[in-house]
Structures are given as C-alpha cells and as structure tokens.
Amino acid sequence: MIERIADRYRRFAQVEAQGQSPLYEMLALHVAQAPEALRFLMRLPRERQQPNLLFAAMRLAAGKPASPCDFDQALREHADAIAEIMLSRTTQTNEPGRCASLLPALAQIDGPLALIEVGASAGLCLLFDAYGYDWDRQRLAAPGCSGAIAPVFNCEASDATPLPLRHPEIVWRAGLDLNPLNVFDNADVAWLEHLVWPEHESRLARLRAAISLAKRNPPRIERGDLRRDLPDLIAEAPAKATVVVFHTAVLSYIPSRADRNDFATMMNRAGVVWLSNEAPHIFPQFAASAGPARNGMFLLAANGSPIAWTGPHGQSVRWIVDTSRIP
Ligand SMILES: C[S@@+](CC[C@H](N)C(=O)[O-])C[C@H]1O[C@@H](n2cnc3c(N)ncnc32)[C@H](O)[C@@H]1O
C-alpha cells in the first residue's frame, strides 16, 4: 500500500508536475520517500490521497512550503487541519481559460444556444460570452458591459482552427455539479485559488477576474450527478435554442469505463449537441480516429467525432478536421 502511494507521487512528479510546477515536482518526489508523509496518506481513503489535494490543502491550512523541510514541519504541525480539508474537499479546479479552446467549436453551432455544463464547479466556463480572447492572429474583445474587468484568455490556435469573429448568442445556461462551488462564499473562493498551482500566477489572476465577473452575473449551478440528473435540466432548456451539453476535465472523475460509455450513449440519444473535452483515454473510441495522441492534451469531440486537440488549461487548440457546421 505504502509503495503504491509512493509510486503515485513519483509519477505525479515526473508526468504532471515536471515542467509545470518545480515546487510540486520537488514536494512530490520528497513525499514518495518520506515515511511520515506516506503514513499520513495511508490513513486517508484512496481517492483522497491525490498529490493535488494534499498540496492545495497544505497551502490552505499552513501556507506554501518552500522546501521539503518546510513541508515536513507543516505536516507535523497541521496534520489534523490538512486531513480535514482533504476529507471535505475535492479537486474542483475551475479553469475559465478553457473557454478559449472551446469557443471555436461553439461558434460552429447554429444558435441561439442553451448551454449546459456538467461538472461545472463554480460555473466559470459557462461565461463564454463575457470574456475576451486572444488567439494571436485574431482577437475578440470582451463585451465590457458588466462593469468588472474581464479576463482575456491567450490561446495558440493552429492555422486550420476556425476562429470566431463574435461571441455566441447564449440565451439560457445552467451547470450541474456534485458539489457546486459558490463565488460568493469566501471559503469556496479560497479553495479555488489554492487549487491553482503555485507558479501559475497569470492563471490565478484570470481566475480572480473571472470570479469578479461571475459575481455580477452568477450562472445557475444545480447540485446533481451527470449520470442521473442531466435529462431534467435538458428538459428545461428553451425549445427555440440549440441545446449544447459540454464538459471539460470531468469524466476522469467517473472511474468506470462502462459508466462513461453509458453517459456517451445517453448523450448520443439526447437530441443535443454534445461537446466532450477530456483526456484522450476517457473515450478511447473517439481518440482512435484523431491521429496520434498529443502528449498531455485533451481531445475535443462533438457528438463523438474528434474535432480538435486542446491544451488542458485552454492554452492551445489544434483543429483536426475541416468542419464547417457542427453537428
Ligand atoms: C476538475 S473540475 C472541472 C471544472 C470545470 N469543468 C472546468 O473545466 O473548469 C471537475 C468537476 O466535476 C465535478 N464532478 C465530478 N463528478 C461528477 C458527477 N458525477 N456529476 C457531476 N459533477 C461531477 C466535480 O465536483 C468538479 O467540480
């Protein structure tokens, strides 16, 4: 058991943190060979032993450790508080920058749109029409009518990516989440902020800007399970709009492949446009026709057909097919 946890932390250091967060890489390698830290993790349920959860909980409870020595001291002095956070919270990172890699697909769909995001967290990815975008060869300014300063998301787009000239017309929107986070709740906001990796300062700044914007016009998020509660929400969408159900970085929380495939079947029969933006192993049957998997990238698929590879935080979009309208 202890060796399995150590392996998980080593893998996290080498695959996820390397090149992304020198601090998390160093701490994860340290945990992998620190008996006290491994014993602490062993007392938690397996699904609560994640590196991301431990490091965010420690930063929230005890501040950011600068070294393995700091980490050991923080764990010794704040073990109960850290464990309590790890048991009561999950990794609900809300990355509004993902809107920049999804918007080209959304713009291909005939509107007006009724948007439903499953696994919405605080719902920041539902606000496509409130943000500014910079794809380098094309920009889209934020509408700027909310009074708050909108974040502008930079995203590197391949030449084949069709870039929108205007924001989509969204006439209705709602989110669904097992545990909706509330932008008016300081504890929820602090948790969202601590989920951003320590060196990612520009992501933190744009998260804060997106939260300020959401406070002026908070999206509706219902509590529920995407496997059970989606049909009721779809039934509420206005009949005159095209219903788009989307999710990004969510289906990895459904560990059973059979459950994920049942969800795919449900979506294909729902009479909606379904956009899935997930790691390619989540739906390998879609990835099969997407060409070679790109390291660390998500696969964006519309109704099960691959359309683009996207950077996991929305930092890039590489169009695969020569699509005109979706579906
Ligand atoms: C990593 S966050 C991603 C949030 C958002 N989609 C984004 O890209 O910023 C995953 C979210 O999925 C939610 N989630 C996980 N399993 C779920 C389920 N079965 N039904 C509804 N939401 C779920 C979690 O609570 C969490 O808020």
Side-chain angles (χ1 to χ4, degrees):
M1 163 97 151
I2 217 158
E3 204 31 53
R4 182 184 52 71
I5 302 175
D7 268 353
R8 183 175 189 173
Y9 275 72
R10 244 177 256 118
R11 223 171 344 134
F12 173 83
Q14 288 156 2
V15 178
E16 295 185 48
Q18 198 178 60
Q20 296 296 322
S21 170
L23 181 65
Y24 277 10
E25 184 185 358
M26 174 178 71
L27 294 179
L29 288 173
H30 169 65
V31 170
Q33 50 79 59
E36 202 182 329
L38 292 170
R39 276 198 298 275
F40 167 85
L41 289 166
M42 254 175 61
R43 290 195 289 272
L44 299 172
R46 186 173 177 157
E47 72 280 6
R48 302 288 168 156
Q49 294 167 347
Q50 294 159 278
N52 258 337
L53 189 59
L54 170 63
F55 299 145
M58 175 172 282
R59 285 165 59 205
L60 184 61
K64 184 172 72 177
S67 65
C69 212
D70 276 3
F71 175 93
D72 289 343
Q73 188 179 348
L75 193 59
R76 229 171 284 129
E77 291 174 4
H78 301 274
D80 288 348
I82 295 168
E84 195 189 316
I85 296 170
M86 292 177 76
L87 289 169
S88 61
R89 292 283 186 186
T90 55
T91 50
Q92 292 192 261
T93 312
N94 202 181
E95 178 48 78
R98 290 179 179 134
C99 287
S101 56
L102 294 181
L103 191 58
L106 209 60
Q108 298 295 307
I109 303 167
D110 289 328
L113 304 178
L115 278 190
I116 299 178
E117 183 184 14
V118 294
S121 184
L124 302 178
C125 292
L126 278 163
L127 305 178
F128 286 94
D129 47 350
Y131 301 136
Y133 301 91
D134 184 347
W135 293 282
D136 237 358
R137 67 189 150 88
Q138 193 169 301
R139 292 181 191 167
L140 196 54
C145 45
S146 72
I149 296 176
V152 176
F153 300 127
N154 291 90
C155 175
E156 190 203 319
S158 66
D159 289 346
T161 306
L163 296 176
L165 293 165
R166 61 190 69 83
H167 289 85
E169 185 189 359
I170 301 171
V171 290
W172 185 90
R173 74 194 85 204
L176 185 68
D177 201 286
L178 285 179
N179 180 43
L181 294 182
N182 179 352
V183 290
F184 295 101
D185 180 313
N186 290 341
D188 281 358
V189 169
W191 182 239
L192 283 170
E193 290 183 358
H194 283 86
L195 284 168
V196 178
W197 288 13
E199 297 87 350
H200 296 201
E201 275 144 25
S202 63
R203 280 183 63 212
L204 181 60
R206 68 195 202 185
L207 172 75
R208 288 179 171 150
I211 289 173
S212 300
L213 216 60
K215 281 181 170 170
R216 297 189 177 241
N217 212 352
R220 164 188 170 201
I221 318 283
E222 291 295 326
R223 185 177 297 274
D225 191 316
L226 62 89
R227 288 164 289 192
R228 215 184 35 231
D229 302 308
L230 184 54
D232 287 349
L233 213 47
I234 293 176
E236 273 189 49
K240 65 177 185 343
T242 307
V243 180
V244 180
V245 175
F246 75 100
H247 49 86
T248 146
V250 173
L251 271 276
S252 53
Y253 292 83
I254 310 286
S256 145
R257 180 179 288 191
D259 284 355
R260 295 198 297 267
N261 286 342
D262 285 349
F263 175 73
T265 304
M266 173 171 91
M267 292 315 305
N268 282 325
R269 291 179 181 158
V272 301
V273 179
W274 169 38
L275 295 179
S276 165
N277 188 47
E278 302 286 343
H281 70 270
I282 294 298
F283 289 119
Q285 65 273 38
F286 305 164
S289 56
R294 289 176 177 258
N295 213 3
M297 289 182 90
F298 283 0
L299 183 65
L300 176 60
N303 297 334
S305 298
I307 53 174
W309 291 103
T310 63
H313 294 140
Q315 64 273 47
S316 60
V317 51
R318 306 196 69 75
W319 214 249
I320 297 171
V321 284
D322 183 17
T323 39
S324 45
R325 310 302 295 172
I326 296 173

